[in-house]
Amino acid sequence: MSTIRFIMLGGFLGAGKTTAMARLARHYLDQGKRVGIVTNDQAQDLVDTHSLREQGFPVAEVAGACFCCKFDDLLAKVGSLETAQHPDVIIAEPVGSCTDLVATVVQPIKDLYGARFTVAPYPVLFKPSHGLKILRNETGSGFSPKAAYIFRKQLEEADAILINRIDELTTAQVDEIAGLVAKQFPGVPALRVSAKTGQGFDAVHELLNQQGAFGRKILEIDYDIYAEGEAELGWLNASVRLTATQPFALDPLLLDVVNGLKTSLKGTGAEVAHLKAIGLWEGFFGVANLISSNDDAVLSLPSKCQVKEADLIVNARVAIDPAELQRLVETVVKQVCAARSATQSDAKTQSFRPGRPTPTHRYAAAK
Ligand SMILES: Nc1nc2c(ncn2[C@@H]2O[C@H](COP(=O)(O)OP(=O)(O)OP(=O)(O)O)[C@@H](O)[C@H]2O)c(=O)[nH]1
Ligand SMILES: [Mg+2]
């Protein structure tokens, strides 16, 4: 029996993992391969799962904690994709605040499930907006030193670093990032890519096809700093049905939600790691994002539709108290509804600080 290629794509919150996964999935489908995707979040109602499903990919979701703490669930979800899809390739996206994935996911899969899977080299996407400040050691990088610690640890265990968003960076900016990466993570290949446009992805495909001694970088990591860094984030997943008597355009609504939150968060000084909102109705869907407090909100996937009803899902990862985050999200959704004379129903919200990671397995040395 042939083995399944297992590809995991790491990177910080908002680095471009989901965008890159969709691009990779399309590439393998074009090659006639069958693909399954596994998403992961600290809670239910993940924008990425809905967005990838609406794009037509088979997706299984591991919810409630990161892959490392839900290792058996990850394998069970992969198993359900195997039964339903018989995939040649599985692409998995871990939670963007998670690290130590080689010791807790890659190594256990290789060691315990080597007959079922061949694990691809582990790439980590580099997020320029926060990453440049972190690698420059700038104070006021937007995050605390503990969150910056997680960001660096993610890069440290990578087999290759994918410098993302080159479509919107100058050559000088990309050169500066590449120089800092080469100095601080010596010997790690750095590829220049755009998950949005596909620039540089031939090299990513080549990388992911390589066989050899990959997925072997076991970190020295302080779980106290890691846990405290994660717990600085307020995490919120909310869903609600919106109903209006007159049709409204879905895309401006999504942008209003994200921009409204950006504005209200500005007043608090809390740094945004990633805000994302998806609107869904009868096969239409749109997604809006904001990846840092200093960026602009973007409509990454437009729905181009008018609706009288829509399911809205908001995911927010912000360095703020989760109760305060929930209050701000509720206020903004209320305003957005009032502007369209829309009512809310079936509202569900989970807001919390991520708990301390306690991995199912942790390999102290590479097998
Ligand atoms: N301009 C540009 N935007 C990008 C690129 N890659 C991703 N984005 C945008 O960045 C935002 C975040 O991308 P995602 O793919 O959702 O990031 P993620 O790493 O999956 O985020 P989390 O799941 O929250 O950790 C979206 O608005 C994307 O459209 C890129 O190469 N160029
Ligand atoms: Mg994602």
Side-chain angles (χ1 to χ4, degrees), residues 18 48 93 276:
T18 306
D48 297 351
E93 175 182 352
K276 43 193 178 183

Side-chain angles (χ1 to χ4, degrees), residues 63-333:
C66 49
F67 284 153
C68 51
C69 305
K70 289 249 174 192
F71 183 82
D72 294 336
D73 198 16
L74 167 63
L75 266 291
K77 292 291 159 63
V78 169
S80 67
L81 285 170
E82 275 179 83
T83 310
Q85 311 291 335
H86 306 289
D88 304 296
V89 183
I90 293 278
I91 313 175
E93 175 182 352
V95 176
S97 58
C98 192
T99 186
D100 204 25
L101 286 150
V102 168
T104 61
V105 178
V106 172
Q107 282 290 319
I109 290 183
K110 284 186 169 187
D111 186 39
L112 305 173
Y113 298 95
R116 262 166 76 192
F117 306 103
T118 52
V119 182
Y122 175 53
V124 174
L125 280 152
F126 180 89
K127 180 183 183 184
S129 52
H130 290 122
L132 190 52
K133 293 180 190 161
I134 289 171
L135 295 197
R136 277 184 189 149
N137 279 321
E138 273 177 23
T139 47
S141 64
F143 286 118
S144 75
K146 286 174 186 162
Y149 177 83
I150 295 173
F151 193 103
R152 285 178 179 278
K153 285 291 166 193
Q154 291 178 334
L155 299 176
E156 205 180 306
E157 62 178 334
D159 288 317
I161 294 172
L162 312 185
I163 301 169
N164 195 26
R165 303 181 81 100
I166 60 166
D167 57 287
E168 58 175 20
L169 298 172
T170 63
T171 308
Q173 286 169 321
V174 182
D175 286 345
E176 183 186 359
I177 295 170
L180 288 165
V181 165
K183 204 162 170 202
Q184 297 180 29
F185 305 93
V188 183
L191 308 183
R192 303 169 182 220
V193 305
S194 166
K196 183 178 172 182
T197 67
Q199 275 170 279
F201 264 66
D202 286 346
V204 178
H205 303 145
E206 228 170 84
L207 167 87
L208 293 172
N209 280 336
Q210 285 183 38
Q211 314 282 343
F214 296 106
R216 297 179 56 80
K217 293 186 188 166
I218 307 282
L219 296 176
E220 274 180 30
I221 181 160
D222 183 327
Y223 263 69
D224 290 334
I225 300 178
Y226 173 18
E228 286 160 22
E230 262 200 308
E232 284 171 2
L233 288 169
W235 207 273
L236 174 141
N237 288 7
S239 64
V240 63
R241 166 76 50 93
L242 309 181
T243 309
T245 50
Q246 297 300 317
F248 59 88
L250 187 55
D251 295 339
L253 178 137
L254 297 170
L255 280 171
D256 283 356
V257 169
V258 173
N259 274 319
L261 277 169
K262 177 182 172 177
T263 307
S264 50
L265 283 163
K266 221 166 201 136
T268 69
E271 181 64 20
V272 169
H274 197 181
L275 294 177
K276 43 193 178 183
I278 188 167
L280 305 133
W281 195 246
E282 292 183 341
F284 290 98
F285 78 103
V287 180
N289 310 67
L290 178 74
I291 57 145
S292 85
S293 300
N294 294 323
D295 274 272
D296 292 324
V298 293
L299 193 63
S300 56
L301 295 166
S303 72
K304 300 191 178 115
C305 79
Q306 300 265 334
V307 288
K308 278 194 198 169
E309 211 154 48
D311 290 320
L312 171 70
I313 301 174
V314 179
N315 293 170
R317 288 82 176 95
V318 183
I320 192 174
D321 173 57
E324 172 73 351
L325 181 59
Q326 180 164 346
R327 197 185 61 72
L328 295 175
V329 170
E330 284 169 358
T331 305
V332 166
V333 172

